[in-house]
Amino acid sequence: MPRSFALIQTGDQWLRCSHLQTALVGGAVQLSWLDEVASAPEGGEAPLAAGLAFDSHCRLHRSVPEEGRLEHHLWASQDPLEPVARPEPDENLIIAGDTEAVGEFHPVKPPTPFQEPRGLAVDANDRLFVAEAGARRVPVIDLWSRRVLRRVAFPGRPVDVAAFNTTVYVVTEDPAGVWVMDARRLPREIPLPGGVTTPARAAVSPAGELFLLEGAGTAATRVVGAGHDIPTPWATDIEFLQETPPVLVVAHLAEQDLFRKRIEPGSVTNLPPLKAKNYDGRGIVRAPDGRILFWTANGFRHAVAARLRFRPEGSVTGFRFDSGEYRTQWGRIFLDACIPRRTSITVRVLTMDDPPAPGEPLVPPALPANVESATVHRPDLSPPMPPLAAISDAPARPLHHRNTGRELPWVRPAENDPFETYELPVIAPPGRYLWVALDLAGNSRVTPRVRSLRAEYPSHDHLRRLPATYSRDALMADFLRRYLALPDGVAGELEAKSAARHALIDPRSAPAEVLPWLAGFVGLVLDERWPEAVRRTAIREAAWLFRFRGTIPGLRRFLTIYLGVEPLIIEKWRTRGVGAVGSEGAPDSNAILGAGFRVGGELGDEGPAPISGSAADAFDTHAHRFSVMIPALLSEEKIEVAHHILELHRPAHTIFDICTAAGGMRVGRGLHVGLTAIIGHSGGFDLLRIGGTTIGRTAVLGRAQPGVTPEASRLGVDTRVG
């Protein structure tokens, strides 16, 4: 039977270990890096903060507080190492609304300059909110019409705004406060978190939690929100990445790196920083592609991963493994690790039958170097650590790389998985308890990483099956036990795979390379163009698919499995009109849609009219034919695969055609009244008629204006009579 094993794998388990100059990143232990310490500003003051915000059209809006203006620039993905040439700002971002009409002409005046615009935010409806500190107000600008919808006054000076969907948070100073508003409703003040007296910047997490930067640009700066109080000396701005769990990016002064912190309930973890070359120190923003963008003297740039300097050595000591039986001979240790060139991992082990003596110094638990705070659930259940002197004196032994992959049955790593499996035997006396310590070494540029540690028990018992003369000498017995571990490992892995052979006949767990073999049991030939998920689903549902092969439900389900959208299959006989195939004579048609258009009759005659053609003609055009409507844009390869599926599984005597969203909906072929379309009222929009529609009165180009909101709309600003 496969042997049992104890392991350390999850982040919670690694936190219960003792770390020395190691970090926990992405669930793997590695050497910690040397942090760049944020420095104080020259002259004693940080630069004046400016606003950056993106709208839904990938336009970057930027405020220039000292000049009292806004500008916007077109953004596109680019090489993050190359800054773009600074574009000319658009001076006509806002069209003034307080103009004086002269006859039928309405001259456009340049917009009034803003008074110290400090922060910017764009909500889900493309409304731009400006924290106009000098005027103690927040203008709301509709980016579609480029007009100021309203100007909301505040008792304090607005210094920053942050948007989440349509909700906007406004941070004010003198007096300090936080307000909640949207584009139509009046602001509402909310209480400041405990201990916050000088909020300066705000950011909203992907879950909608508000975080405030307290005392920006000072040695006592901290981030407060969602139950966290995180010291961030000399920080000037904060922004969240679109990740789960949320990652907070903290910006400091000009030319300094951007720090990243993973925020989780009860824990804060530092991630490798980002490099912000030529950063002006006035603010950051998340770009539409998820990267962090900042401003330089030559335009905007994207932050990139900083080159780290790792510590040369580090170690992690695991907690106690318990086999449950005394005098247990432990077997092998397996590590899922990534060990680049010029790095190494060595292993120290300690076995004991009895717990350490009371009062004996133990290895103290210690969090990873990059974990500022962490909540270990039920720390009383954490197994004890080893004696400090005994584990320190244990000899360090190297690892062996397994050429056959992981020892777990039928487990295959992903194609881009850099972690491989290493092993070594436990060279230690028998004992109920086992402790494992890992020593990591690097060259300050790269680091080894460990994701999982497993220790199997008990070891093989082949020595008991041999004559006693081979195991009388302790050294010889130890060598023979380690020598026999090689063939025993091969036999044990084969036995484990045999015990888990049921995984091979389940398409959800079978390795990808055996899927064609598994499909052969049900007579299904897999197409190499099918993704792996499609192959597994097709095998799992093969019995049902073959049961309904050639029917509309069967074809529809097969195409849905491959395309991911449910197609519509229409038999042509359902669109033949009033005349039935095989009927005698030519019946009259009285079905009239509108004025002069009839189904099955002639055009322009409101009276009964015979259907032309014979039953043989109707048979040739409608019998044994069907159309497949796919409501998706498909590539040429997907269309070919869908055509191939229909060729193989349709009734042999039928003819079909495929209509996709790219081909449009054609009347009589892809658009059928009562089947795929309904005649009636639409969403309420009127048709645009040349010569009969007035722009601005009965039709609007672009997005429609918002309706009237009671107690929020103002006559002459966003509402008019008549």
Side-chain angles (χ1 to χ4, degrees), residues 164 204-210 242-244 246:
F164 180 75
V204 184
S205 71
E209 298 172 321
L210 177 65
Q242 199 68 27
E243 297 183 9
T244 303

Side-chain angles (χ1 to χ4, degrees), residues 182-203:
D182 58 26
R184 307 304 300 262
R185 293 178 175 83
L186 296 176
R188 173 178 55 88
E189 188 175 10
I190 61 177
L192 286 170
V196 175
T197 58
T198 57
R201 306 290 274 185

Side-chain angles (χ1 to χ4, degrees), residues 25-166:
V25 179
V29 176
Q30 64 178 54
L31 292 171
S32 61
W33 57 88
L34 301 175
D35 291 323
E36 296 290 340
V37 180
S39 58
E42 298 180 3
E45 291 187 5
L48 186 64
L52 295 171
F54 276 95
D55 60 21
S56 61
H57 293 276
C58 296
R59 292 177 298 185
L60 173 64
H61 299 269
R62 174 175 175 262
S63 68
V64 186
E66 58 274 10
E67 300 180 13
R69 64 182 175 87
L70 303 181
E71 59 185 32
H72 75 273
H73 310 269
L74 296 179
W75 171 90
S77 299
Q78 59 173 6
D79 184 355
L81 301 179
E82 295 293 334
V84 298
R86 181 168 183 171
E88 292 295 331
D90 187 353
E91 299 294 345
N92 296 323
L93 172 62
I94 303 171
I95 298 177
D98 51 350
T99 59
E100 182 179 356
V102 180
E104 296 293 332
F105 299 94
H106 294 265
V108 176
K109 296 180 180 180
T112 304
F114 293 93
Q115 301 180 36
E116 195 180 336
R118 296 277 293 275
L120 300 178
V122 178
D123 68 0
N125 293 328
D126 266 356
R127 272 65 181 269
L128 176 65
F129 295 75
V130 183
E132 196 174 359
R136 293 179 179 263
R137 64 187 182 185
V138 174
V140 182
I141 305 168
D142 183 57
L143 296 177
W144 285 77
S145 61
R146 297 164 60 189
R147 293 184 180 274
V148 178
L149 298 180
R150 57 192 298 214
R151 292 181 173 89
V152 182
F154 287 86
R157 288 165 43 89
V159 293
D160 195 22
V161 285
F164 180 75
N165 294 332
T166 59

Side-chain angles (χ1 to χ4, degrees), residues 20 35 97 134 145 169 196 207 244 270 331 368 398 421 487 508 539 579 657 697 713:
L20 178 61
D35 291 323
S145 61
Y169 297 91
V196 175
T244 303
N270 292 321
T421 302
R508 294 170 295 184
I539 296 174
D657 53 60
R697 292 182 180 269
S713 300

